[in-house]
Amino acid sequence: MLTNNLGYPRIGSQRELKKACELYWAGKTTLKNLYQVGRNLRQENWQLQKEAGIDLIPSNDFSFYDQVLDMSLTVSAIPERYHEVILNKNNAELDLYFAMARGFQKDGLDITAMEMTKWFDTNYHYIVPEFHKDQPFKLFSTKVIDEFYEARQLGILTKPVLIGPVSYLLLGKEKEAGFDRIDLIRNLLPVYIELLKRLDKLDVQWVQFDEPFLSLDLTEKEKKAFLYAYGEIRKEFPALKTIVTTYFEGLRDNVVLATSLPVCALHLDLVRAPEQLEAVLNHVPDKMTLSLGVVDGRNIWINDFAKSLALIEKALASLPHNRIMIAPSSSLLHSPCDLVLETNDKVLLPEIKSWMAFARQKLHEVSILKQLATLGKGSSQAFVENQRKVETRRTSSLIHNPAVKAQVAAIADADAQRAHPFAVRKKKQQAALKLPLYPTTTIGSFPQTAEVRNWRAQWKKGELTQAEYDALLRTATQNAIHWQNEIGLDVLVHGEFERNDMVEYFGEQLAGYVFSKNGWVQSYGSRCVKPPIIFGDVSRPQPMTVAWAQYAQSLSDKPVKGMLTGPVTILQWSFVRDDQPRSETAFQIALAIRQEVVDLEKAGIQVIQIDEPAIREGLPLRKVDWQSYLQWAVKAFRISASGVRDETQIHTHMCYSEFNDIIQNIADMDADVITIECSRSQMELLDAFADFNYPNEIGPGVYDIHSPRVPSREEMVSLMRKASAVVPAAQLWVNPDCGLKTRHWDETRKALVEMVEAARELRAGV
Ligand code: GLN
Ligand code: ZN
């Protein structure tokens, strides 16, 4: 029985890689230094896995930016616009690589970056490969071979990790019409064969092919591509030990396909889909090994050894020991590095910490599970200790709050329902708010300047007292309100200067949350996030935003929006409990937000925005599961929004979303106003609302907040005219695409002045 690891976090426990890359991009360090940081990290990670008792240690899981981009460079899927970068001999391969990831503005060139998108249902983003009809491929970067060799020099025989050929193609995008990217498999496969030949010469034993698409919905053609690709590889390398990995979902209808691939081992995510084990055992051919992903690669809780051993024993009933591997469910890329670094008992209570495991601790769990499975758990100290922790967690009064559980159990249908339908509410809101046609607003945040962030840093270090910090924030808020009044916006915002992050800010005030100090997880490139951790029943000990909203409202006669993050987004961007369904946690958060909404109304706030940018990214990977998710997600939002009178206007905001296939669910959220990102798509995203005859009000973003560019009045008027051609003007709002926290004040001022003028022009033209 072997222990198998699929991938290890490469950012470094002190975010060494982030820091080194950013220095290199800023021209403050040499390529040589950057390479050295990479080498150190790889060596450290290999060593640490070896010490933890991992038999199959991955290589090529390291990346300076993204593993999909690595693959693109390996097979030379380099879009033509970067060829100038290659031609300049002063540029290293890594410069080309970063140009593809981040764009290139140098030497008179101005080349855009490749597109980025989310890696399945994680918060990791990968660089989308670009494909053309009949595209040729060839072996370009030899990173896979180099890193295998590097480890071998250190005395560690690694298992190179490749994105499998089928998943690699499916992760990409056709850049022209008239072909299906999966048809490129015949052009692509020879590069994999060539690569494997080179590895073979270096005496590679195991090679891992990541094929997460094997557990998603597949077309017939895609299924054939799997059989073709792995058939060819087997033909060329009859003795190579190949392992195909799947994760984030169960194989379901693809069990037969997966088990009929001519590969030596198949990895299963038994955390996400334990039920697939039975079906796979029924089909697994003689000689095929199963890698059992029993330790959660996506969360931070300790493993329940009893549960994992039950799965392992189930496999052992059908297979001999040497055809079983023990593994984390997925790459550990999605876990923070090392719990040992969490040393502050006040931030992370020791009892709660004892229930947690980060990447490094998960390796040990894998190793111990192998021992328990081979030697028998008996009264093993490790097993007893683990079960004691699991039991204290299950029954801890830190986690369980009977009052919260009772409230969730008591949620009635009426709690997820406004008092009257939108048509009735709209009239009452009109009478109360007296807004003009094409009302103008912004999405919430104003620039988080270095100055504002500096105040927060000083306050956290104790260099500013609470009173001093609050006073500074009050001035910033006051300036923002006065300025919005002056330029004539219709619904104002307080600016969110007091918030570090739209989820962390609420997590810090809700019971049931803890925070790590070093629990960073790579989000994209050098960007890391530190998700807050929901460990227990969530409740709201006291109002969270009311004082700021009330203060801001006291400075203006115009309505100031109360600004909240919605339950689904709070859930989605946190590490969540694994001891109850996500929906249960979502409803707990929904009740807390509902109390806040009601308190805001009581404090005289007439317009309240509940942001839900993450509702779409929570969609399950299999389409059949969408509606059951959307049902509870929409319900959670409605619970949070439905405690107020008809006169109180509820807004929601979503960005980066395609709405076509979920427009009915968006309508079911029944927000009085929804603001969406629209400008980069030239209002095309609005079509879904138009085709649906979406009944409530909509603010399609009129300018892109991701760019410092100041939009002209004419282009905003023209975008809104386009909008009003498909949605009646009486339903439309005028606002930017998203919050303005990443922008500077000078461009923000100019852009919003133009936006207000654009709205005036639109009104005059009606
Ligand atoms: N209210 C938030 C802001 O303006 C919304 C951010 C978001 O949609 N991601 O910053
Ligand atoms: Zn947004």
Side-chain angles (χ1 to χ4, degrees):
M1 194 182 288
L2 296 177
T3 49
N4 175 30
N5 187 29
L6 275 55
Y8 198 75
R10 58 224 176 192
I11 204 76
S13 59
Q14 306 292 332
R15 286 181 296 158
E16 294 90 334
L17 187 63
K18 169 198 178 66
K19 291 167 194 163
C21 282
E22 288 175 0
L23 281 179
Y24 180 67
W25 297 336
K28 290 184 185 149
T29 191
T30 60
L31 195 58
K32 205 171 145 214
N33 283 339
L34 179 56
Y35 277 129
Q36 190 55 46
V37 171
R39 257 194 305 275
N40 292 347
L41 283 168
R42 289 192 291 271
Q43 181 168 355
E44 219 172 89
N45 288 350
W46 288 326
Q47 210 60 48
L48 162 164
Q49 294 178 76
K50 194 175 161 184
E51 279 158 22
I54 299 300
D55 300 311
L56 299 188
I57 297 174
S59 62
N60 196 46
D61 56 336
F62 175 82
S63 178
F64 277 110
Y65 204 95
D66 163 46
Q67 71 271 14
V68 182
L69 181 60
D70 290 340
M71 212 59 221
S72 291
L73 218 67
T74 299
V75 302
S76 188
I78 303 166
E80 214 171 285
R81 60 184 185 278
Y82 301 105
H83 287 190
E84 295 248 27
V85 183
I86 308 180
L87 290 175
N88 184 342
K89 294 288 172 237
N90 290 328
N91 291 326
E93 184 181 298
L94 201 57
D95 294 318
L96 164 67
Y97 176 82
F98 286 142
M100 290 163 73
R102 316 177 59 239
F104 192 84
Q105 278 98 13
K106 226 171 88 182
D107 315 329
L109 297 174
D110 186 357
I111 313 174
T112 55
M114 291 172 75
E115 201 182 308
M116 191 167 68
T117 196
K118 275 164 51 63
W119 179 249
F120 301 92
D121 59 355
T122 72
N123 232 329
Y124 178 79
H125 301 70
Y126 73 94
I127 304 282
V128 182
E130 298 181 10
F131 297 130
H132 291 271
K133 195 164 189 253
D134 302 324
Q135 173 164 341
F137 296 96
K138 63 171 195 282
L139 186 58
F140 182 80
S141 163
T142 55
K143 172 179 182 288
V144 184
I145 302 150
D146 302 341
E147 288 180 11
F148 176 74
Y149 186 73
E150 182 181 309
R152 215 185 67 167
Q153 294 293 88
L154 296 167
I156 298 176
L157 195 70
T158 58
K159 170 195 61 171
V161 177
L162 309 175
I163 303 206
V166 180
S167 290
Y168 174 68
L169 288 175
L170 293 180
L171 284 165
K173 217 173 167 175
E174 292 95 354
K175 292 308 253 190
E176 62 190 315
F179 80 108
D180 182 347
R181 62 194 185 281
I182 199 68
D183 294 334
L184 296 173
I185 190 79
R186 280 169 201 276
N187 293 3
L188 178 64
L189 209 63
V191 187
Y192 277 76
I193 303 277
E194 158 98 30
L195 192 62
L196 293 172
K197 266 188 194 143
R198 302 253 208 128
L199 287 169
D200 207 30
K201 276 201 195 116
L202 293 173
D203 299 322
V204 74
Q205 286 195 0
W206 283 94
V207 178
Q208 172 178 322
F209 298 87
D210 281 352
E211 292 284 12
F213 277 94
L214 205 45
S215 34
L216 304 195
D217 299 320
L218 292 173
T219 64
E220 283 311 308
K221 214 172 174 184
E222 290 159 357
K223 290 182 190 170
K224 280 203 184 107
F226 272 110
L227 289 166
Y228 166 75
Y230 290 94
E232 291 296 303
I233 291 172
R234 174 52 70 228
K235 241 193 277 168
E236 289 281 340
F237 306 96
L240 184 71
K241 293 188 176 165
T242 47
I243 172 164
V244 160
T245 65
T246 63
Y247 36 80
F248 307 152
E249 246 310 331
L251 286 166
R252 304 197 198 181
D253 52 332
N254 297 328
V255 165
V256 172
L257 171 66
T259 50
S260 59
L261 294 177
V263 296
C264 300
L266 178 66
H267 172 84
L268 307 173
D269 184 339
L270 295 181
V271 173
R272 201 46 91 70
E275 70 289 343
Q276 66 178 325
L277 181 60
E278 170 115 34
V280 173
L281 286 171
N282 287 336
H283 286 91
V284 65
D286 287 350
K287 293 210 177 81
M288 186 186 268
T289 295
L290 292 183
S291 165
L292 309 178
V294 287
V295 171
D296 195 347
R298 297 275 303 269
N299 213 333
I300 41 79
W301 305 111
I302 55 166
N303 191 257
D304 179 345
F305 287 170
K307 241 178 167 173
S308 295
L309 285 169
L311 288 164
I312 297 167
E313 276 153 19
K314 187 180 173 81
L316 276 171
S318 309
L319 303 176
H321 279 249
N322 63 0
R323 282 177 57 203
I324 289 176
M325 295 177 185
I326 313 291
S329 60
S330 66
S331 166
L332 296 174
L333 175 67
H334 313 289
S335 300
C337 288
D338 194 351
L339 189 63
V340 168
L341 299 173
E342 302 301 319
T343 48
N344 190 335
D345 286 356
K346 288 202 192 74
V347 179
L348 195 54
L349 288 181
E351 179 166 1
I352 298 174
K353 187 175 151 188
S354 76
W355 304 325
M356 289 164 59
F358 289 179
R360 194 165 169 195
Q361 289 67 39
K362 287 171 192 290
L363 295 175
H364 286 279
E365 293 186 332
V366 166
S367 201
I368 294 169
L369 280 168
K370 169 175 135 175
Q371 283 168 26
L372 295 176
T374 43
L375 306 174
K377 58 180 187 270
S379 53
S380 141
Q381 169 99 39
F383 182 75
V384 172
E385 180 65 3
N386 170 269
Q387 291 301 291
R388 192 191 56 77
K389 284 182 189 169
V390 168
E391 188 55 21
T392 49
R393 182 177 166 213
R394 201 178 63 74
T395 52
S396 169
S397 60
L398 287 174
I399 291 185
H400 300 284
N401 181 337
V404 172
K405 289 189 207 297
Q407 280 162 13
V408 170
I411 293 173
D413 286 348
D415 295 329
Q417 187 75 45
R418 297 283 297 267
H420 290 96
F422 175 70
V424 176
R425 302 198 304 265
K426 182 173 168 112
K427 289 208 186 83
K428 294 194 191 170
Q429 288 167 18
Q430 248 159 3
L433 296 167
K434 302 190 182 60
L435 295 171
L437 195 62
Y438 290 112
T440 52
T441 191
T442 61
I443 307 304
S445 56
F446 275 127
Q448 282 266 331
T449 56
E451 196 183 23
V452 173
R453 278 180 280 131
N454 204 17
W455 297 340
R456 181 150 48 248
Q458 285 182 302
W459 165 66
K460 285 209 164 145
K461 274 189 248 156
E463 291 165 13
L464 280 179
T465 63
Q466 183 73 46
E468 287 166 332
Y469 178 55
D470 285 345
L472 290 166
L473 292 173
R474 260 200 304 276
T475 324
T477 308
Q478 187 179 32
N479 292 341
I481 295 283
H482 287 337
W483 179 75
Q484 293 172 83
N485 261 330
E486 212 172 281
I487 68 161
L489 278 154
D490 299 306
V491 174
L492 316 190
V493 297
H494 77 286
E496 303 182 22
F497 301 107
E498 76 287 7
R499 302 185 189 178
N500 34 5
D501 169 276
M502 64 187 289
V503 171
E504 197 172 325
Y505 182 75
F506 290 94
E508 279 171 349
Q509 302 189 69
L510 290 167
Y513 262 97
V514 281
F515 294 83
S516 66
K517 247 187 123 59
N518 294 288
W520 297 100
V521 180
Q522 193 175 10
S523 169
Y524 64 90
S526 67
R527 284 284 293 265
C528 300
V529 292
K530 200 168 51 142
I533 298 162
I534 303 176
F535 72 92
D537 290 332
V538 175
S539 60
R540 187 196 71 144
Q542 64 226 353
M544 303 182 281
T545 64
V546 175
W548 282 114
Q550 212 164 13
Y551 171 66
Q553 184 63 81
S554 76
L555 302 168
S556 177
D557 298 331
K558 300 246 179 91
V560 178
K561 274 194 273 191
M563 195 59 62
L564 304 171
T565 303
V568 184
T569 300
I570 292 185
L571 181 83
Q572 192 64 24
W573 292 348
S574 304
F575 280 121
V576 295
R577 294 169 66 171
D578 60 354
D579 60 344
Q580 68 182 21
R582 291 170 79 81
S583 53
E584 185 76 10
T585 308
F587 293 149
Q588 293 182 356
I589 305 169
L591 287 177
I593 299 295
R594 178 189 177 97
Q595 290 165 4
E596 187 73 12
V597 170
V598 168
D599 280 350
L600 282 168
E601 181 185 67
K602 270 193 213 137
I605 305 299
Q606 293 173 282
V607 181
I608 300 165
Q609 177 172 317
I610 309 170
D611 289 325
E612 282 290 22
I615 244 186
R616 196 176 203 289
E617 73 179 48
L619 278 176
L621 294 171
R622 294 275 198 157
K623 244 188 160 143
V624 284
D625 302 330
W626 280 21
Q627 285 312 320
S628 60
Y629 158 77
L630 284 165
Q631 217 177 353
W632 65 254
V634 169
K635 184 172 174 194
F637 176 84
R638 292 176 60 124
I639 291 167
S640 73
S642 297
V644 286
R645 297 178 302 137
D646 289 338
E647 286 77 3
T648 300
Q649 188 171 63
I650 298 287
H651 290 218
T652 190
H653 165 71
M654 286 180 203
C655 30
Y656 317 114
S657 284
E658 283 257 9
F659 298 100
N660 275 310
D661 40 10
I662 56 165
I663 188 70
Q664 175 70 59
N665 310 96
I666 303 289
D668 289 345
M669 288 170 71
D670 198 23
D672 298 308
V673 181
I674 181 171
T675 55
I676 57 174
E677 179 173 321
C678 246
S679 72
R680 272 190 296 185
S681 70
Q682 294 296 307
M683 294 285 156
E684 268 169 32
L685 285 176
L686 198 59
D687 290 348
F689 291 83
D691 295 346
F692 184 79
N693 282 326
Y694 183 81
N696 301 13
E697 295 175 31
I698 317 172
V702 290
Y703 82 88
D704 179 13
I705 56 86
H706 300 92
S707 149
R709 196 176 153 271
V710 175
S712 74
R713 189 180 313 176
E714 295 74 40
E715 69 190 73
M716 291 189 273
V717 168
S718 126
L719 278 175
M720 284 307 295
R721 291 235 160 91
K722 229 173 139 180
S724 65
V726 293
V727 172
Q731 273 172 265
L732 289 172
W733 285 63
V734 180
N735 48 261
D737 271 343
C738 191
L740 295 158
K741 71 171 169 217
T742 57
R743 297 268 58 89
H744 293 296
W745 265 112
D746 51 346
E747 66 222 28
T748 299
R749 285 203 187 94
K750 288 187 192 132
L752 289 180
V753 166
E754 290 303 308
M755 191 188 85
V756 170
E757 287 307 322
R760 288 192 179 127
E761 217 167 280
L762 286 162
R763 282 170 212 147
V766 172

